[in-house]
Amino acid sequence: MRIRICSAFLQLLCATFILNTTVAAPPALARTDSYDLDIPSQNLNDALQALALALHHKLLYSSELVDGKSSPALKGKFTAVEAVKKLLSGTNLRYQVTSDGLLLIRAAGAPMSSNATSLPPTSDAGGQASQVTTVPLAQADVPDSQNAPQTEKKSAAKNQKDSSDASKKESGVGLEEVVVTGSHIRGVSNDSSPMLLFDRDYIEHSGFSNMSEFVDSLPQNFSGGAGGSSETATFGNSYYEGQNLSRGTGFNLRGLGSVATLTLIDGRRVAPSAEGEFVDVSSIPLQAVERVEILTDGASAVYGADAVAGVVNIILRKNYDGAETSVNYGTATRGGTSEDQLSQTVGKSWAGGSALLIADFDKREPLDARDRDYIVAAGGAPLDGPTWLLPKRKSESLIFNFNQDLPDRLDVFANVLYSHADVGQAQTDTTEDLLTDHPVTDDYSALLGLGYSAFGDWRFEFDGTVAQALTVTDVTYTYIPTGALEFLINDYRDKYDTWSADFKADGSLFSLPSGKVRLATGMSYRKDDLISTRDQVIPDLGPATHANYSRNVDSVFAELFVPIVSREQGYSWARRIDLSLAARYDDYSDFGKTTNPKVGLVWTPVDSLDLRASYGTSFRAPTVLEEAQVTRGIQISNVDLDALNGSLVPAFYLAGSEPLTAERAKDTSIGFTFKPQSVKGAALTFNYFNIDYTNRISIPPFDATALFNRGEFGSLLTDIPNDAAAQAYLAAQVAAGALFIDQLGTGAKGVRYVFNLLQQNAARTQTNGFDFTPSYVVTRGADTYNFNLNLTHINKILNSLLSNTTPIEQVNTYEQPLKTRVRALGTWTRGGWNTSVAANYSNAYVNGYILAYQRIKAWTTIDTDLTYEFGNSTGSAFFNGSKASLGISNLFDVNPPHATDPLYNMGFDVFNANALGRYVTVRFTKRW
């Protein structure tokens, strides 16, 4: 199979070579070079134009930001960054050199959190700039080797012949082309797919202390689900929460499960935690994050399996000159938890390369549920011993990035991530038993790659990645009154290894009147291994293998970008029409082959409006944990159900797994971005999504009122006529290897039903909804105001357990995704001051887990953050380049709305609210 894939790929690659002509690749920003500048004081736009000419580099900014602003004179020797900083002094504008070498100018504190069209295009993008306008440098002000007069073309050719480095400098002026989430093609933002983008300013001004807080704040994310991808999962109905040994945090877009969200770091897969259920992002320090890109529709055609609900790409910082130290302290005002953080960044850039090292230390004290009266009152925190709602945590992280240009158009890049987390968890139950565990997790990921800037604008990349997530813990049950040890697992060990190799080529095929047609194609190989073992000492069952599973995946993909209409063609009915086509073929060693296509279209009928649509299919094979569950046998427990006569009736509750098949889905997305010309700085973005899921792997929800809703469960709920039949059923199951747990202490007596809640492929899951993300930026004199709204609304999540059962509506019910979640953020910037206020809203819903339906109130909290940047003219060596911040989350200390849970009664819904209360954070950052 691999030979056939290689052959097909090589044929495609050879065809690509034949179709191309030589065009020099654009250079990146020379960040350390100095320039002799003499730019007089004038309006800011003209000054930036003059600077762009002198730097031989594009500057990107929104035209309304510079209107009416003037610049100081610039005379002397400056680096590019120093020159931009000087011109922007006193304007409330900020520059940012991103990790990809982009030089952006925008309003201070302005978060980039709308559709992907907010990303700056390059000169080869083939479309218009929808939110960011560029200085027309390569096309007009600085001649390039394609459009220059003949004498200049000869000069460029001569330089190219002299040396490859010189050819790069003489080939023209442009930004280094980067790959944007949702596409493998450099310089192309796939505007047909909706994307949210959050940069460093947004994250910092929101007052987040860690990635877990950022994840929880996203309206599109759900903290619950079977994967247990949150720190509080152990206190909710999350089937696999026991596998989240490290108490990590992962993304779960649309509430379709953490396994349906693909999480990447710098565009590449890493080893997941929780036996393969999700990537633990809590181990990534916020100080290391440049931005987070979230693609909110299916992308299996681009990235392969798992990208059903969307893709989260965490982009780490790379290019940085100097050193930066950051200290952070936070505490809950009602007590119960506090956190200390220390981060150190050291970076160096030079001509043709850069290196960056980030070290982070984080220590957090636990949040004891006994410190929250409403949890104690609900019975969720027995006073006999501790119950840590948030575990005790100490972690160290190390991140290293390196890139270097080599002779002959080659370059090398490397990335290493390492984290060590030491977590302590304690939980006391009503029987005076204390559960404790002490997981220690070591994660690492190492990537090494080689790039080649080939003929024309083509680039080839080959890279390899090795990653591992290893968690080792012990688990004890202690009877508090006597101190007797009742249960002990001495060595609970989960190890997940991932190896991958990827090859990609992308560049232009040919030119149309509307622009260049561009192709990306490549192939990959990935191998995943999971081994989970434990040594149970009390009772003495000895060592056992909990899971031992391996899988490899061969893939080949292709992606095409076709500009059908461009602005330059002058059509009255279209400023732009772009077509995106993608397809991916995956061959699984255990689940066969699958091919998934995706098609997207963007139409810009007028300058202020972008219309987009996309359709694709997705595929997800069962995770190694889900497959391992099949081999672990059946567990039978006796539980009480609510009877029709108002009493309780015992039932056998089956846990385990049926044999599984792969999931498949169809994803449709339709949306628009509107920027009214009459309101400069305003943008309205709307995206509708529809996902039709078949064979979705799920675990039927336990419902004590199931007898009142038998149409939803069908044959999963069967009758037992009498005690004799119940005893015979139990005996047969035990004889077949099932484990019986007598929770009621009554055995088979009185059991009248079998409730089959085995993991299985549900017949169908349907969900749809929309995201609405308006924004507005306005400058009034020395003040800049920025407003952003992120609203998500889920119309339905209908889950049909069997082909003949009534669909179960999961949205807006207890411990399930809510219909509407909103985060609104407003910032005000004046000089070095930045103030932000955010409002978080979750709608009211119902609790159907109890017989008398309970209404759970809506929940609104307010966050605020105040930051002052001292600048470089304070007269103090210590305060120069420093920044101080004060952040308060849940400013008014609002308790989560009350909810009742018959199994884990914490007094609130742990998946849709939190018990942290008012939390105050103080941060100080010093750039050296």
Side-chain angles (χ1 to χ4, degrees):
M1 183 62 230
R2 292 180 202 166
I3 294 175
R4 291 199 302 271
I5 292 177
C6 293
S7 175
F9 174 73
L10 290 174
Q11 291 177 38
L12 180 60
L13 192 57
C14 290
T16 298
F17 276 114
I18 295 171
L19 286 168
N20 279 274
T21 59
T22 300
V23 180
L29 175 66
R31 303 183 57 184
T32 57
D33 292 352
S34 293
Y35 302 83
D36 286 317
L37 302 174
D38 188 3
I39 299 175
S41 177
Q42 56 189 308
N43 71 73
L44 183 57
N45 186 63
D46 289 346
L48 291 173
Q49 290 271 1
L51 179 61
L53 284 169
L55 298 180
H56 282 247
H57 196 80
K58 281 186 180 180
L59 307 178
L60 288 94
Y61 55 89
S62 180
S63 59
E64 58 263 26
L65 291 180
V66 300
D67 286 347
K69 291 182 172 61
S70 60
S71 69
L74 196 64
K75 186 176 178 63
K77 208 170 186 63
F78 300 87
T79 66
V81 168
E82 289 170 343
V84 172
K85 187 174 183 180
K86 179 72 172 176
L87 291 181
L88 298 183
S89 60
T91 64
N92 291 320
L93 300 180
R94 298 288 185 269
Y95 71 88
Q96 180 182 5
V97 181
T98 72
S99 62
D100 302 306
L102 305 180
L103 183 51
L104 310 179
I105 298 171
R106 54 193 173 82
M112 297 161 63
S113 56
S114 58
N115 194 63
T117 51
S118 64
L119 290 170
T122 68
S123 57
D124 290 319
Q128 68 168 7
S130 56
Q131 285 201 26
V132 182
T133 60
T134 67
V135 176
L137 181 59
Q139 291 76 22
D141 297 320
V142 176
D144 63 20
S145 59
Q146 300 304 304
N147 303 311
Q150 186 67 28
T151 56
E152 295 182 13
K153 288 185 179 181
K154 290 179 180 178
S155 175
K158 179 180 182 295
N159 288 332
Q160 182 177 14
K161 186 176 181 180
D162 290 342
S163 75
S164 60
D165 289 340
S167 72
K168 291 182 181 180
K169 293 181 180 179
E170 296 295 328
S171 62
V173 179
L175 285 170
E176 177 183 9
E177 293 182 305
V178 296
V179 176
V180 176
T181 304
S183 174
H184 287 298
I185 304 175
R186 290 169 300 124
V188 172
S189 61
N190 186 0
D191 296 348
S192 64
S193 294
M195 189 171 74
L196 303 172
L197 195 153
F198 304 91
D199 69 352
R200 282 187 60 78
D201 275 353
Y202 178 91
I203 294 171
E204 289 180 353
H205 295 149
S206 295
F208 304 127
S209 298
N210 51 58
M211 277 296 295
S212 296
E213 293 178 10
F214 171 74
V215 173
D216 291 342
S217 75
L218 291 173
Q220 290 78 13
N221 190 74
F222 176 56
S223 296
S229 56
S230 66
E231 290 188 301
T232 57
T234 188
F235 300 101
N237 294 291
S238 180
Y239 186 77
Y240 286 126
E241 60 83 15
Q243 272 60 57
N244 186 4
L245 299 180
S246 62
R247 297 296 182 264
T249 299
F251 285 94
N252 178 3
L253 298 178
R254 311 295 188 202
L256 292 177
S258 55
V259 292
T261 298
L262 177 61
T263 300
L264 307 172
I265 297 179
D266 284 335
R268 292 170 172 84
R269 293 175 182 255
V270 295
S273 298
E275 298 188 12
E277 287 296 291
F278 61 88
V279 173
D280 181 11
V281 298
S282 66
S283 62
I284 303 173
L286 271 182
Q287 191 68 15
V289 177
E290 177 72 24
R291 65 185 184 272
V292 180
E293 299 173 351
I294 302 178
L295 190 70
T296 55
D297 72 345
S300 286
V302 178
Y303 297 106
D306 310 335
V308 180
V311 179
V312 177
N313 191 9
I314 301 172
I315 309 298
L316 302 178
R317 298 171 73 179
K318 296 178 181 65
N319 298 324
Y320 184 81
D321 276 310
E324 180 181 273
T325 305
S326 180
V327 294
N328 179 76
Y329 174 76
T331 184
T333 58
R334 269 194 274 180
T337 186
S338 63
E339 187 170 15
D340 302 283
Q341 290 177 294
L342 173 64
S343 294
Q344 180 63 54
T345 301
V346 179
K348 179 64 178 176
S349 295
W350 56 88
S354 67
L356 178 71
L357 180 67
I358 300 175
D360 182 87
F361 172 80
D362 190 341
K363 181 181 180 182
R364 186 188 66 192
E365 296 301 318
L367 173 60
D368 196 325
R370 293 177 297 180
D371 291 324
R372 299 295 180 261
D373 293 342
Y374 51 88
I375 298 179
V376 175
L383 300 178
D384 311 88
T387 297
W388 292 347
L389 199 58
L390 294 178
K392 187 175 183 178
R393 181 182 294 272
K394 183 173 69 173
S395 63
E396 299 91 27
S397 301
L398 196 65
I399 295 174
F400 175 72
N401 273 301
F402 172 82
N403 63 84
Q404 177 62 57
D405 290 344
L406 300 174
D408 300 321
R409 296 178 176 265
L410 295 171
D411 60 90
V412 64
F413 49 94
N415 173 274
V416 178
L417 293 82
Y418 172 76
S419 68
H420 173 86
D422 196 330
V423 178
Q425 177 67 26
Q427 183 177 347
T428 304
D429 62 26
T430 55
T431 63
E432 299 183 294
D433 281 326
L434 173 63
L435 165 67
T436 60
D437 60 314
H438 183 216
V440 176
T441 300
D442 289 282
D443 292 344
Y444 72 81
S445 174
L447 173 141
L448 180 63
L450 182 68
Y452 175 55
S453 297
F455 52 85
D457 60 356
W458 275 82
R459 176 173 171 82
F460 301 88
E461 282 187 1
F462 176 79
D463 59 71
T465 301
V466 56
Q468 183 183 99
L470 171 65
T471 300
V472 180
T473 188
D474 52 15
V475 180
T476 65
Y477 276 91
T478 305
Y479 186 54
I480 295 175
T482 65
L485 198 60
E486 298 180 320
F487 180 87
L488 171 63
I489 293 180
N490 201 31
D491 187 8
Y492 195 142
R493 183 179 299 261
D494 284 349
K495 183 164 73 86
Y496 199 108
D497 290 289
T498 294
W499 299 267
S500 65
D502 297 90
F503 178 79
K504 187 190 78 170
D506 79 296
S508 299
L509 287 175
F510 52 86
S511 292
L512 298 173
S514 52
K516 294 180 179 179
V517 176
R518 305 188 65 172
L519 171 74
T521 184
M523 59 192 305
S524 69
Y525 170 79
R526 187 178 87 250
K527 181 176 176 59
D528 297 327
D529 284 328
L530 167 67
I531 183 166
S532 177
T533 60
R534 63 213 58 195
D535 183 5
Q536 186 167 323
V537 179
I538 303 176
D540 187 6
L541 299 180
T545 298
H546 193 235
N548 189 353
Y549 200 82
S550 181
R551 161 186 296 158
N552 56 70
V553 186
D554 298 293
S555 305
V556 62
F557 64 86
E559 183 182 348
L560 195 66
F561 173 79
V562 183
I564 298 174
V565 173
S566 69
R567 171 186 300 275
E568 288 74 17
Q569 293 175 281
Y571 293 115
S572 60
W573 49 274
R575 299 293 185 267
R576 166 176 71 143
I577 299 179
D578 291 339
L579 176 67
S580 297
L581 301 170
R584 186 180 181 102
Y585 172 85
D586 294 292
D587 186 359
Y588 285 77
S589 60
D590 52 352
F591 275 92
K593 309 170 183 64
T594 178
T595 301
N596 293 284
K598 185 173 184 177
V599 58
L601 188 70
V602 180
W603 173 36
T604 303
V606 294
D607 287 336
S608 58
L609 181 64
D610 287 340
L611 303 175
R612 59 182 163 271
S614 66
Y615 171 81
T617 65
S618 298
F619 172 92
R620 189 183 77 82
T623 66
V624 289
L625 173 61
E626 290 167 337
E627 269 297 285
Q629 191 70 21
V630 177
T631 65
R632 293 176 186 171
I634 305 297
Q635 177 181 299
I636 304 176
S637 304
N638 49 6
V639 296
D640 282 331
L641 299 179
D642 293 317
L644 300 178
N645 61 8
S647 62
L648 297 176
V649 57
F652 286 137
Y653 164 20
L654 305 185
S657 182
E658 301 275 10
L660 300 174
T661 61
E663 302 176 340
R664 298 186 182 275
K666 298 176 182 178
D667 304 90
T668 303
S669 175
I670 302 172
F672 67 84
T673 296
F674 175 60
K675 298 174 186 176
Q677 296 180 348
S678 59
V679 186
K680 287 188 176 181
L684 302 176
T685 300
F686 177 89
N687 290 295
Y688 167 83
F689 66 90
N690 183 86
I691 302 174
D692 193 348
Y693 226 145
T694 55
N695 290 329
R696 182 189 172 202
I697 298 170
S698 65
I699 298 161
F702 175 81
D703 186 352
T705 67
L707 294 176
F708 293 82
N709 308 290
R710 296 196 68 164
E712 296 177 352
F713 294 94
S715 60
L716 299 178
L717 188 60
T718 57
D719 298 281
I720 296 180
N722 50 50
D723 285 356
Q727 185 60 51
Y729 176 86
L730 178 60
Q733 291 294 322
V734 171
L739 172 66
F740 176 60
I741 299 177
D742 191 359
Q743 289 189 183
L744 300 178
T746 56
K749 183 178 180 181
V751 171
R752 292 297 177 267
Y753 301 95
V754 175
F755 202 0
N756 179 0
L757 300 185
L758 298 174
Q759 174 183 258
Q760 56 197 272
N761 290 100
R764 190 179 186 187
T765 298
Q766 300 166 279
T767 182
N768 61 51
F770 63 84
D771 295 322
F772 181 53
T773 55
S775 63
Y776 180 54
V777 182
V778 61
T779 298
R780 296 287 183 265
D783 301 305
T784 298
Y785 304 92
N786 190 293
F787 305 95
N788 288 269
L789 181 74
N790 185 3
L791 179 152
T792 191
H793 179 85
I794 302 176
N795 294 322
K796 66 178 182 180
I797 301 179
L798 293 177
N799 191 29
S800 300
L801 300 176
L802 302 172
S803 59
N804 59 351
T805 58
T806 304
I808 300 174
E809 176 60 89
Q810 292 181 261
V811 74
N812 236 35
T813 59
Y814 182 73
E815 292 191 344
Q816 297 295 332
L818 304 182
K819 268 190 177 294
T820 304
R821 289 189 64 201
V822 183
R823 180 173 173 86
L825 175 68
T827 63
W828 165 62
T829 302
R830 183 184 180 93
W833 290 98
N834 183 284
T835 301
S836 63
V837 177
N840 309 282
Y841 170 79
S842 300
N843 65 228
Y845 55 108
V846 297
N847 183 2
Y849 271 16
I850 56 178
L851 188 58
Y853 267 45
Q854 178 187 49
R855 180 174 174 79
I856 302 173
K857 296 180 179 179
W859 195 41
T860 302
T861 61
I862 303 296
D863 305 333
T864 185
D865 187 84
L866 176 65
T867 299
Y868 182 72
E869 296 189 33
F870 289 90
N872 293 314
S873 304
T874 66
S876 167
F878 179 76
F879 285 106
N880 279 351
S882 297
K883 178 170 59 177
S885 302
L886 172 67
I888 305 175
S889 61
N890 196 351
L891 178 64
F892 300 109
D893 202 17
V894 180
N895 287 339
H898 177 72
T900 301
D901 187 327
L903 296 180
Y904 306 91
N905 199 1
M906 304 303 292
F908 72 103
D909 184 343
V910 297
F911 293 152
N912 286 303
N914 68 73
L916 192 59
R918 184 190 296 115
Y919 194 82
V920 180
T921 304
V922 179
R923 300 183 299 278
F924 185 82
T925 301
K926 166 65 178 173
R927 295 181 177 88
W928 305 92

